[in-house]
Amino acid sequence: MATAAMMGTLGSIAYPNYIASQQKAKCSETRAKLMTIPPIISAHIDATGEAPRTWDDLSSIAAVMTSNGPATGDLDTPITLPRTNYELSVEGPSESTYLLTANCFVKTPVSDPDDREEQELKEAAFHKIRSCFNVSNGASDLTSGSGTDPANTPNCG
């Protein structure tokens, strides 16, 4: 019985660390994916002379994958990135700048079902990853929430 109690105690300590490390890995994978989009945007502009407006435009240069295959539709329509809880959307260009936003949707048990939506929105804000890319000067920036603080607005001045 003492062994079972010790195993339960060790498991209760190790499991949250395991879940946190999984979340960090997904966040790192999402940041890496966000860093691949600006070169694709730039390559599309170089190849066609026009700003991309759809995921199909970007996929004509390099496939942007989702959980369901190559991304399609307008850039401002969120896509779900493979193997993550992140939805990625692209805004722009606005004054030659694209803003990329990945929102993480973490499902956390909530004791009061009425609080579930508010809790998920709060968690999404703290796990948000934001990036920008200025096509006129090549500047880019990436910020992410720390899990306790929300992501700042990236600066691509």
Side-chain angles (χ1 to χ4, degrees):
M1 189 183 259
T3 303
M6 282 194 289
M7 293 302 292
T9 302
L10 289 174
S12 68
I13 294 169
Y15 186 71
N17 290 333
Y18 171 72
I19 296 300
S21 66
Q22 278 189 325
Q23 185 62 33
K24 284 182 183 179
K26 289 179 180 182
C27 185
S28 294
E29 184 175 350
T30 301
R31 280 203 307 270
K33 178 56 103 174
L34 254 64
M35 292 182 347
T36 66
I37 304 294
I40 298 171
I41 292 171
S42 183
H44 182 271
I45 292 170
D46 289 345
T48 65
E50 297 179 5
R53 300 282 180 208
T54 66
W55 291 108
D56 300 310
D57 291 344
L58 294 181
S59 291
S60 70
I61 301 298
V64 177
M65 298 304 291
T66 70
S67 298
N68 301 319
T72 60
D74 293 332
L75 286 178
D76 59 355
T77 302
I79 60 170
T80 302
L81 299 174
R83 297 181 306 279
T84 69
N85 297 333
Y86 284 88
E87 286 186 349
L88 171 65
S89 64
V90 179
E91 298 173 28
S94 174
E95 298 179 16
S96 301
T97 301
Y98 286 89
L99 179 64
L100 293 79
T101 303
N103 288 310
C104 179
F105 294 95
V106 179
K107 304 297 183 205
T108 303
V110 177
S111 57
D112 185 0
D114 295 335
D115 293 340
R116 176 171 299 283
E117 185 175 326
E118 180 180 324
Q119 179 70 20
E120 288 176 359
L121 288 173
K122 179 181 173 190
E123 288 174 352
F126 288 111
H127 292 285
K128 183 180 286 190
I129 301 172
R130 302 179 81 189
S131 175
C132 62
F133 174 63
N134 189 321
V135 296
S136 65
N137 64 14
S140 64
D141 190 17
L142 184 130
T143 63
S144 59
S146 65
T148 56
D149 296 317
N152 294 324
T153 302
N155 180 7
C156 283

